[in-house]
């Protein structure tokens, strides 16, 4: 175990944090013993262990990367079952869409211990689905879907995810007081209460079905101006006879009836006249229906808690592969998670960007050098082309004439 692992263990012991699951892929191919590929489909995409094309640390930044385009992916890892009842639940990991993903998921799913990992699929029931999802210009959001009474409930608020191609840290915190936090890069992006931001329960209060709006309550914001008068020249027919039309020479009144000029749109027609609108002086606004306690509402103080949490999985579809998942952590201590994020993602994010900038500059230099080389080659061919003497030119012209 390296210095970072020892430091984190020391901090966990000091802060009484419980670490249920941690995965950093620091032991080479041994990760394959801990992660199980689903066999539900025969053509799932394959994961590989790599730090990617650019990174902050070649060893610490290694993670699971999707490697095949237009594929479903399904892989999971099991840990000792636990319940978060009475404790916070913190789920954290890093995602790097270095391929500048155009359509695909980057989220994780948390399952109970009874999941059959070899048959995990998109139909497998999960407790929590959390993380970024990108598809085109419309969908660039962070999913926070929580299972309540065997039904998934999406978060009502929208959270935008990161789309810049660098590694980012995603954190979800559920607390026993029924509050939550969503962090990106160790900064709080969204927070609130589970009851307010998900439709788990019926509303606490509803409109009183016996209440009636007073007869003199005026809720019309604008009315017709009683002083507005229709102009005298307003009434014009919508269609008029085309006075420029001429009767066809072959028109037979006996066969076709008496000829009439066709109708055309009247340019003076302005439609039905309506008086202009003015603010209603008697407007009282929208009538506030009295509220009563909802008889169907029953509080549930255990929305946040799950039993036998035991598996974390990646169940994804990606059009363009290349996403790297790393630094998985499930704990009961959000401060420990924040420190873990700082000691992993926080230490390598800046070197990663520097490496990417350097690679981009080097690539530009190579492209410029190639372009200069192509230009010189074209220029040298023009310069080196031998000039014909007058005699050679005359002989070539004579030869062409003879051939002709």
């Amino acid at each position: 175990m390296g210095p970072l692992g020892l430091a984190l263990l020391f901090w966990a012991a000091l802060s009484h944090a419980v670490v249920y699951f941690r995965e950093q892929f620091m032991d080479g191919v041994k990760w394959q013993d801990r992660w199980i590929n689903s066999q539900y489909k025969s053509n799932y995409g394959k994961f590989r262990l790599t730090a990617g094309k650019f990174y902050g640390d070649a060893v610490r930044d290694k993670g699971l990367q999707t490697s095949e385009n237009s594929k479903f992916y399904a892989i999971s890892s099991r840990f000792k079952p636990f319940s978060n009842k009475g404790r916070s639940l913190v789920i954290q990991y890093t995602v790097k869409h270095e391929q500048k993903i155009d359509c695909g998921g980057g989220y994780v799913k948390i399952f109970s211990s009874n999941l059959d990992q070899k048959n995990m699929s998109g139909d497998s029931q999960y407790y929590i689905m959390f993380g970024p999802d990108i598809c085109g210009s419309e969908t660039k959001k962070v999913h926070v879907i929580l299972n309540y009474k065997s039904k998934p409930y999406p978060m009502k608020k929208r959270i935008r995810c990161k789309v810049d191609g660098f590694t980012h840290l995603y954190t979800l915190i559920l607390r026993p007081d029924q509050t939550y936090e969503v962090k990106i890069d160790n900064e709080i992006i969204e927070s609130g209460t589970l009851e307010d931001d998900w439709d788990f329960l019926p509303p606490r209060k509803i409109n009183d079905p016996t209440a009636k709006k007073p007869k003199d309550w005026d809720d019309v914001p604008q009315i017709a101006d009683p002083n507005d008068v229709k102009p005298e020249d307003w009434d014009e027919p919508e269609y008029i006879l085309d006075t420029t039309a001429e009767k066809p020479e072959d028109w037979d009144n006996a066969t076709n009836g008496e000829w009439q000029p066709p109708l055309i749109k009247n340019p003076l027609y302005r439609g039905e006249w309506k008086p202009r609108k003015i603010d209603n002086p008697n407007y009282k606004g929208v009538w506030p229906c009295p509220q009563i306690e909802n008889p169907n509402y029953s509080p549930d103080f255990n929305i946040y808690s799950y039993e036998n949490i035991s598996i974390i999985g990646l169940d994804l579809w990606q059009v363009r592969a290349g996403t790297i998942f790393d630094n998985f952590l499930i704990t009961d201590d959000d401060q420990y998670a924040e420190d873990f994020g700082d000691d992993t993602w926080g230490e390598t994010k800046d070197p990663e960007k520097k490496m990417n900038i350097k690679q981009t500059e080097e690539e530009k230099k190579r492209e410029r050098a190639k372009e200069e080389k192509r230009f010189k080659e074209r220029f040298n061919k023009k310069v080196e082309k031998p000039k014909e003497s007058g005699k050679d030119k005359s002989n070539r012209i004579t030869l062409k004439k003879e051939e002709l």
Side-chain angles (χ1 to χ4, degrees), residues 239-248 259-265:
Y239 294 94
I240 58 174
L241 294 175
D242 184 1
T243 57
T244 63
E246 295 182 358
K247 178 180 176 181
W259 180 80
Q260 293 288 341
L263 294 174
I264 61 172
K265 197 81 173 177

Side-chain angles (χ1 to χ4, degrees), residues 159-177:
I159 305 174
R160 184 175 174 84
C161 64
K162 299 291 185 178
V163 294
D164 56 13
F166 295 109
T167 301
H168 292 285
L169 182 72
Y170 287 85
T171 309
L172 171 64
I173 305 171
L174 303 180
R175 295 193 173 93
D177 62 359

Side-chain angles (χ1 to χ4, degrees), residues 282-302:
N282 299 318
Y283 177 65
K284 294 183 178 180
V286 178
W287 178 64
C289 182
Q291 299 278 294
I292 62 171
E293 298 295 330
N294 185 354
N296 296 319
Y297 171 78
S298 178
D300 186 346
F301 302 107
N302 294 305

Side-chain angles (χ1 to χ4, degrees), residues 124-161:
S124 299
Q125 189 174 91
Y126 56 85
Y127 281 154
I128 298 170
M129 175 172 154
F130 169 63
D133 189 15
I134 298 171
C135 194
S137 59
E138 296 295 325
T139 303
K140 291 180 173 63
K141 64 181 179 181
V142 177
H143 284 295
V144 188
I145 303 177
L146 305 179
N147 187 296
Y148 179 67
K149 295 184 177 180
S150 300
K151 182 180 177 181
Y153 288 85
M155 185 184 190
K156 293 188 286 186
K157 294 179 179 177
R158 291 188 66 86
I159 305 174
R160 184 175 174 84
C161 64

Side-chain angles (χ1 to χ4, degrees), residues 358-372 374:
K358 183 178 179 181
Q359 288 179 349
T360 302
E361 291 175 348
E362 291 174 348
E363 181 62 26
K364 288 180 179 179
K365 288 180 181 179
R366 286 193 293 269
E367 288 298 321
R368 283 197 298 267
K370 289 180 181 178
E371 185 61 31
E372 289 175 0
R374 287 194 293 266

Side-chain angles (χ1 to χ4, degrees), residues 108-386:
V108 299
K109 290 182 177 180
I110 306 299
F111 300 90
S112 70
S113 59
N114 61 8
L115 174 73
D116 180 359
Q117 290 176 264
K118 290 187 177 181
N119 283 305
M120 184 183 78
S121 71
D123 295 328
S124 299
Q125 189 174 91
Y126 56 85
Y127 281 154
I128 298 170
M129 175 172 154
F130 169 63
D133 189 15
I134 298 171
C135 194
S137 59
E138 296 295 325
T139 303
K140 291 180 173 63
K141 64 181 179 181
V142 177
H143 284 295
V144 188
I145 303 177
L146 305 179
N147 187 296
Y148 179 67
K149 295 184 177 180
S150 300
K151 182 180 177 181
Y153 288 85
M155 185 184 190
K156 293 188 286 186
K157 294 179 179 177
R158 291 188 66 86
I159 305 174
R160 184 175 174 84
C161 64
K162 299 291 185 178
V163 294
D164 56 13
F166 295 109
T167 301
H168 292 285
L169 182 72
Y170 287 85
T171 309
L172 171 64
I173 305 171
L174 303 180
R175 295 193 173 93
D177 62 359
Q178 307 272 58
T179 62
Y180 74 94
E181 284 182 5
V182 175
K183 291 182 176 182
I184 300 180
D185 297 343
N186 263 345
E187 294 184 2
I188 298 175
I189 302 300
E190 194 56 81
S191 62
T193 66
L194 299 179
E195 192 170 335
D196 291 340
D197 294 341
W198 281 263
D199 289 325
F200 298 124
L201 305 176
R204 294 184 182 89
K205 292 189 175 184
I206 58 172
N207 291 338
D208 184 353
T210 64
K212 294 183 179 181
K213 183 175 67 174
K215 293 182 179 180
D216 61 347
W217 188 279
D218 196 337
D219 57 3
V220 180
Q222 288 192 320
I223 59 173
D225 185 355
N227 299 318
D228 194 15
V229 180
K230 181 173 68 172
E232 294 180 359
D233 62 347
W234 185 275
D235 291 328
E236 289 283 348
E238 185 175 358
Y239 294 94
I240 58 174
L241 294 175
D242 184 1
T243 57
T244 63
E246 295 182 358
K247 178 180 176 181
E249 294 181 358
D250 59 349
W251 186 273
D252 187 348
N253 287 344
T255 304
N256 302 320
E258 185 179 354
W259 180 80
Q260 293 288 341
L263 294 174
I264 61 172
K265 197 81 173 177
N266 185 358
L268 300 179
Y269 177 71
R270 289 179 282 180
E272 180 186 358
W273 181 83
K274 294 180 181 179
R276 63 173 172 265
K277 294 286 187 178
I278 61 171
D279 291 337
N280 184 357
N282 299 318
Y283 177 65
K284 294 183 178 180
V286 178
W287 178 64
C289 182
Q291 299 278 294
I292 62 171
E293 298 295 330
N294 185 354
N296 296 319
Y297 171 78
S298 178
D300 186 346
F301 302 107
N302 294 305
I303 297 174
Y304 75 97
S305 69
Y306 298 95
E307 298 295 326
N308 293 317
I309 302 170
S310 186
I311 294 169
I312 186 170
L314 300 172
D315 174 35
L316 315 162
W317 160 263
Q318 289 199 341
V319 175
R320 188 186 302 170
T323 301
I324 299 176
F325 300 86
D326 194 12
N327 300 312
F328 293 96
L329 177 69
I330 301 177
T331 180
D332 67 345
D333 191 312
D334 52 315
Q335 185 59 54
Y336 174 83
E338 183 173 325
D339 293 339
F340 179 78
D342 287 337
D343 291 337
T344 52
W345 164 84
E347 292 291 329
T348 60
K349 62 183 177 69
D350 290 335
E352 176 188 83
K353 290 181 180 179
K354 289 180 181 179
M355 184 176 187
N356 178 253
I357 292 171
K358 183 178 179 181
Q359 288 179 349
T360 302
E361 291 175 348
E362 291 174 348
E363 181 62 26
K364 288 180 179 179
K365 288 180 181 179
R366 286 193 293 269
E367 288 298 321
R368 283 197 298 267
K370 289 180 181 178
E371 185 61 31
E372 289 175 0
K373 183 179 179 181
R374 287 194 293 266
F375 176 78
K376 288 179 180 179
E377 288 175 349
R378 290 197 299 268
F379 179 77
N380 291 335
K381 285 181 180 179
K382 290 182 179 180
V383 172
E384 295 172 359
K385 187 176 180 181

